[in-house]
Amino acid sequence: MDILKELDVIEKDGLAALAAAEDEDALAAWRTAHLGRKSGLMAAFDGMKDLSKEERPQVGRRANEVKQALEGALEKKLVAVRQATLEASLAGEHLDVSLPGRALPLGRLHPVNQTLRRIYAIFAEMGFQVYRSREVESDDYNFTFLNIPAHHPARDMWDTFHTDREGVILRTHTSPGQIHAMREYCPENIRVILPGMVYRYEQVTTRSEMQFNQVEGLAVGPNITFGDLKGTLTDFARRLFNPDVRTRFRASHFPFTEPSAEMDVECFVCMGDGCSVCKGTGWLEILGSGMVHPTVLRYGGYDPEKVSGFAFGMGPERITMLLHRITDIRHFWRNDVRFLEQF
Amino acid sequence: MKVPVSWLKDYVDLDGISIEELAHRLTMAGLESEEITFVGLPLPPGDKHDFKVNGIAWDREKIVVAEVLEVNPHPNADRLTLCRLNDGEREHTVLTGAPNLFPYKGQGPLDPPLKVAYAKEGTTLYDGHAEGWQLMTLKKAVIRGVESYSMVCSEKELGISEEHEGIMLLPEDAPTGMPLADYMGDAVLDIAITPNIARNANILGVAREIAALFGRELQQPSYDFTAEGAPVAGQFGIKIENPELNPRFVGGLIRDIEIRPSPDWVQRRLRLAGQRPINNIVDVTNYVMLDIGQPLHAFDYDELVRRAGGKTPTLITRMAKKGEKLTTLDGETHALEDFTVLVADTKGSHSIAGIMGGADTEVTDKTTNVLLEGANWNFINIRKTLGYLKMNSEASYRFSRGVHPAMASRGVGRGLELMRQWAGGTICKGLVDEYPLPYEDPTTELTPEDVRRWLGIDLKPKDIAAILARLDFKTSIKGKVISATAPDHRVDISDDPVIGKADLLEEIARIYGYDNIPETRLADVLPPQRNNAALEFEERVRDLLARQGLQEIVTYRLTSPEREAKRLPPGVAPDPKPYITLKNPITPDRFAMRKSMLASMLEILERNARLRERLAFFEIGFVYHDSEAGPLPDEKPRLVIAITGRRDLPAWQGGAEENLDYYDLKGIVEGLLGGLHLNAVRYEPSQHPSFHPGKQARLLAGERQIGTIGELHPAVHGQHDLGPAPVLAATFALDALMEAAPPRHEVQEVPAFPPVLEDLAFILDETIPAGQVQALIEQTGGATLAGVRLFDVYRGEQLGAGKKSLAYALTYQAEDRTLTDDEVAKLRKKIVGRLERELGATLRA
Ligand SMILES: [Zn+2]
């Protein structure tokens, strides 16, 4: 039958033409030519109505075979052509990956406030909340109520900024907040930390400032011991510095605590071997602490026969300096962007 | 305080305790040993110490006690001698120029020989002739034709003192050949004495601490003296006018002494302790003060008699008259306050009590009879006096921290006996002792429960009593109660039973050892938990601004009115309310508490102006305003923001080189307020003098002003060292902002149906603010108009002069359905109609 031979030719020609098509446009044209309404294959389908009843199934089957073969081949070719196109385009696209990125302005908190936040967070989890009080204080709150009566060494002019108003000074520590907190909360138990700016009559040098932050802590209640002080502050040091850091408590003296202690932590630069940061001692002095003096408890409204408490104080600037090897405290209030941008 | 270890050994056995261990235990117990100077004893091994290490060790092989057998002249040099010397092994010839050997030159063999410190070849010592403390090593050399390989040492070469004129001579019984380090090697601890342990500002005090800490016996010094003279009574009198300020005054008399230098060992000891030897009598007063803590004063007795006109002199302690003048030993003349106590006689005053003596009655080379004073003074009054006199002395250091009156007679007794030993003479029998206000040593009771409650340790009554007894407390136990009477060398134990208890607990903790107290976690009931709303709000603001790329700064809160006036244009008077100012500023440009955060900000912008092309800062802090309520100022929290320079960070791909302007800052402020969910804020033109009059607005939440935003006034800009780009700044009253911000906010449902988007542009008169147009559109659109965004402002010829076009992107949205074209058209018509009617707007085709 001629028609079957014709279909063989249609198939053969179609596949040959497909092999020659190289891009998606050519494939679209090929589809029109070989599978479209006006293609030889469609003409063969159309011509089937003129065939005899016997011939019709045989030709029909063959025509469908050819159609499937051509369509299948087209599908495969299409995938191959797309793949080749993609590969060709990828091969031509190269960035200099070493060029710098497009910067967005990055905002930051002041380094001391970053340190303060870490301190707040650690103490918050131990139940200590932030309590703030004024910076310009009466000397009663700054001294007398803290067991520093007149003519105590800490009252000497060398330490304190006096204002033009009688009995008004710039607080030399955040400890007046201890009295404010006790008077506000008495007779409740107390766990607060007292952050804020304090002022000292001191020459500004690489190591001392006339204005700096302090964070004090105060716990008052019926069952608070020196052992609790050691445990709480050691927990704090382990969280701020590292989980294995060792601490030691040395006897010291502050008028508002008794007994008083300095807490040293093992130097985290040399791990206690001795280096320039710890001046060869292996220890860093981090905070002062002690059991709240009975006189201070009394001024706060508490009976030292019934309750006890501990207090501590540290310098967030000093801690920031130790953590980042900052050698000049004046950087903090100078606010040079070359310093600030490093945090 | 400088504490030679050799001196400590007078009172406590230190066998088997290394210097490091000693220093460590003292430091842990509150006697911080910051620095140790080694004078011969071996330095501690390794580099890691709790203390700073100074000084040198004396090589035991190379530095020994030797005897000089004969001093011969040098053949070629008059000023040098050659010593024939035996180091215990053999004889050497040693070259020296020491002037204190000249008297022996050419005298033949010496009997007894002179004992010296002899250093052999290769020894490292200090250079006796160099400035300061330079190390050198002894090498073989030929000096003026004579070979030299070793030397006899001066104190300086050994690091004992700065003495380098002559060589150090040792006592006759010094064993020849013994390593010098074994014979007299020492170390000097420099101990910081805090006010609560002022009683330890002496060798005996430190020794007592060591004895308590190491559980050793304290050897008490002797206060007896050998008196062979006439009774002292009747030879002088003492009159105390104010016993409150002078509770005790003790005097003793020694006759026929000879003023001369103290024995060598005394001089060395004093120098090691940092005290310059003067003569035997003055040295006794200093020695006893360093030894047991009682300052003494030596008078020339004959001078007192002369001043009394040959009669029996009387020492009078009395108050100064206000303005009274007195010249002290140092030649200074002081005008006195009326609370200052003077030591005087019938002729007039001669010393400021407890602080410094006068020249008229002091001991001189010709003195033969000495009246020795040991007194006690009220320490608060001494401190007050020191406060205005601005002077200091070793005696006043101790008196201003409190000395027990019992020490006065002990000091005089010990002083008289040492004078007898070092200066000869005869001590008169007895003491004149005026003690009108005896000190009562407090007795404090405490129980093991107190110890447990305060320290967290369980001790038995007998353990507690034992610890206190180690510090010389007299203790007794009745049941569970320990009674402890403070020893009569300390005045720091309170007579208030509760405070006294705390004083004892401190001592128990120190001696028990802080290290031995176990670490525990707080077991007490947690107090009511509270937020700190102000701080939390501040922290939110910090985060919102940092998120938008701003750098936080923290500045000085001390400033000067001149510095703050720079934030205003010339001719604008600052607010006249007074500043809080300092009486004693540390620098002249920072003496007032700031009233403006903007001024602080401008200072920091200036500092960074040349460093970056774009600056964006904010600060949260306080300003301090005079308060009507009282002398304490109002401390108001403020926020200041400032940006300046290029809008885009400079980058290699270019980017716009435009400067930041008002709308950049407003965008940041809107970001902040949006983050606080504070949406109903109005911006109205305002008249803040620091800002450009046409480029500023005040921010209103309801009727309350919460802040101001604007471009820095060109005249203010010009007063600062800033770049050419405009500075945009905003200031906020943080407390007002906090009150305006809603405590919570509700979210809008995310729409389930598609919105209809449409752009409308209106032509309007230039004078109509965009805010008014926006408000009218929003009001008219109602709930269905879900969004209105201005996307273009256009001015051009075809619009005509005084006209502008504002183009808005409108979002129509219904919650429950897709809007139909009809519905949208109706709403559009309503909006356009309203703008036409009320604002004279025309829809731009
Ligand atoms: Zn280190």
Side-chain angles (χ1 to χ4, degrees), chain B residues 6-151:
Chain B
S6 59
W7 201 338
L8 285 173
K9 286 180 179 165
D10 285 5
Y11 301 123
V12 61
D13 176 11
L14 296 179
D15 273 2
I17 303 173
S18 69
I19 305 287
E20 300 116 281
E21 173 71 356
L22 190 63
H24 175 71
R25 292 284 285 276
L26 285 170
T27 294
M28 296 304 285
L31 287 83
E32 195 179 351
S33 309
E34 299 164 319
E35 196 172 320
I36 299 178
T37 303
F38 286 83
V39 186
L41 286 181
L43 269 54
D47 291 332
K48 183 195 160 186
H49 311 294
D50 269 6
F51 42 80
K52 198 174 152 206
V53 174
N54 285 329
I56 51 167
W58 298 333
D59 189 321
R60 293 182 73 256
E61 301 294 320
K62 295 198 171 107
I63 307 179
V64 297
V65 175
E67 49 192 23
V68 174
L69 304 169
E70 191 172 359
V71 181
N72 295 315
H74 188 285
N76 309 319
D78 284 350
R79 296 173 62 189
L80 297 177
T81 55
L82 296 175
C83 300
R84 194 159 63 79
L85 172 147
N86 174 13
D87 69 358
E89 285 175 0
R90 61 188 185 89
E91 282 195 15
H92 304 269
T93 299
V94 184
L95 187 87
T96 170
N100 57 340
L101 288 186
F102 277 23
Y104 303 97
K105 185 163 76 170
Q107 302 287 311
L110 302 173
D111 185 30
L114 298 169
K115 295 294 174 67
V116 296
Y118 172 65
K120 303 176 187 173
E121 186 180 353
T123 313
T124 297
L125 292 165
Y126 289 111
D127 186 338
H129 302 284
E131 278 293 304
W133 299 96
Q134 308 279 341
L135 286 173
M136 57 146 193
T137 300
L138 272 184
K139 290 192 190 94
K140 200 174 280 184
V142 176
I143 297 171
R144 299 257 178 154
V146 178
E147 186 178 74
S148 166
Y149 52 86
S150 60
M151 65 190 267

Side-chain angles (χ1 to χ4, degrees), chain B residues 177-196:
Chain B
M178 181 185 254
L180 190 71
D182 294 356
Y183 179 63
M184 59 178 290
D186 213 335
V188 181
L189 277 59
D190 201 341
I191 297 179
I193 302 288
T194 52
N196 61 326

Side-chain angles (χ1 to χ4, degrees), chain A residues 267-284:
Chain A
C267 178
F268 44 75
V269 176
C270 62
M271 296 302 167
D273 290 341
C275 68
S276 64
V277 174
C278 57
K279 300 192 187 71
T281 66
W283 295 97
L284 298 168

Side-chain angles (χ1 to χ4, degrees), chain B residues 199-490:
Chain B
R199 64 182 180 282
N200 292 330
N202 53 75
I203 305 295
L204 178 61
V206 176
R208 184 184 292 109
E209 290 283 332
I210 293 167
L213 289 170
F214 289 90
R216 299 195 172 190
E217 196 77 30
L218 181 72
Q219 311 295 322
Q220 295 283 354
S222 166
Y223 304 116
D224 298 336
F225 51 94
T226 305
E228 289 168 337
V232 72
Q235 303 201 51
F236 64 92
I238 291 169
K239 194 169 154 232
I240 294 172
E241 290 191 356
N242 189 334
E244 280 291 328
L245 302 184
N246 178 199
R248 191 177 191 187
F249 198 113
V250 179
L253 194 58
I254 181 166
R255 289 181 176 274
D256 305 323
I257 56 97
E258 188 194 333
I259 302 280
R260 56 173 183 251
S262 296
D264 288 341
W265 70 268
V266 173
Q267 295 193 38
R268 267 200 296 280
R269 219 171 225 200
L270 288 173
R271 283 196 200 99
L272 284 175
Q275 191 78 41
R276 193 165 55 91
I278 310 284
N279 60 44
N280 47 6
I281 298 301
V282 176
D283 289 354
V284 165
T285 62
N286 286 327
Y287 187 94
V288 171
M289 176 179 69
L290 296 172
D291 193 36
I292 63 169
Q294 172 67 44
L296 299 173
H297 184 68
F299 291 95
D300 184 321
Y301 176 72
D302 296 328
E303 182 60 24
L304 291 173
V305 173
R306 199 186 57 74
R307 285 165 62 98
K311 299 202 185 74
T312 306
T314 300
L315 291 173
I316 304 160
T317 69
R318 63 163 176 89
M319 313 295 290
K321 292 174 191 68
K322 186 160 175 71
E324 184 174 346
K325 297 271 196 309
L326 189 133
T327 304
T328 41
L329 267 176
D330 55 6
E332 295 280 321
T333 301
H334 307 274
L336 303 172
E337 295 287 343
D338 60 3
F339 53 81
T340 296
V341 182
L342 302 177
V343 180
D345 56 18
T346 45
K347 183 104 184 286
S349 58
H350 29 73
S351 5
I352 302 174
I355 296 174
M356 200 171 278
D360 292 352
T361 55
E362 72 174 314
V363 170
T364 67
D365 289 352
K366 296 178 183 60
T367 301
T368 53
N369 299 324
V370 171
L371 191 162
L372 185 61
E373 164 205 322
N376 190 264
W377 312 102
N378 176 296
F379 74 96
I380 289 176
N381 200 56
I382 296 283
R383 185 173 291 285
K384 273 167 78 178
T385 301
L386 289 172
Y388 79 86
L389 288 177
K390 305 265 180 256
M391 50 195 298
N392 244 316
S393 63
E394 287 276 338
S396 67
Y397 168 83
R398 287 168 176 83
F399 279 132
S400 66
R401 284 162 176 77
V403 178
H404 196 291
M407 299 308 294
S409 55
R410 292 175 186 161
V412 173
R414 188 156 172 76
L416 288 171
E417 177 60 21
L418 292 178
M419 284 181 186
R420 195 184 65 80
Q421 291 174 18
W422 302 347
T426 308
I427 302 171
C428 294
K429 285 196 184 69
L431 299 172
V432 178
D433 186 356
E434 283 297 310
Y435 195 179
L437 195 66
Y439 187 87
E440 249 184 77
D441 293 310
T443 298
T444 309
E445 294 189 338
L446 83 166
T447 64
E449 173 54 20
D450 293 321
V451 176
R452 195 207 56 73
R453 187 173 75 92
W454 208 262
L455 302 179
I457 47 175
D458 285 311
L459 294 179
K460 295 192 176 69
K462 68 173 174 46
D463 299 332
I464 295 167
I467 287 176
L468 293 170
R470 276 153 78 175
L471 291 168
D472 290 347
F473 283 82
K474 289 193 226 29
T475 60
S476 63
I477 302 169
K478 201 178 270 175
K480 286 202 171 287
V481 179
I482 303 106
S483 293
T485 304
D488 61 359
H489 61 257
R490 57 191 295 172

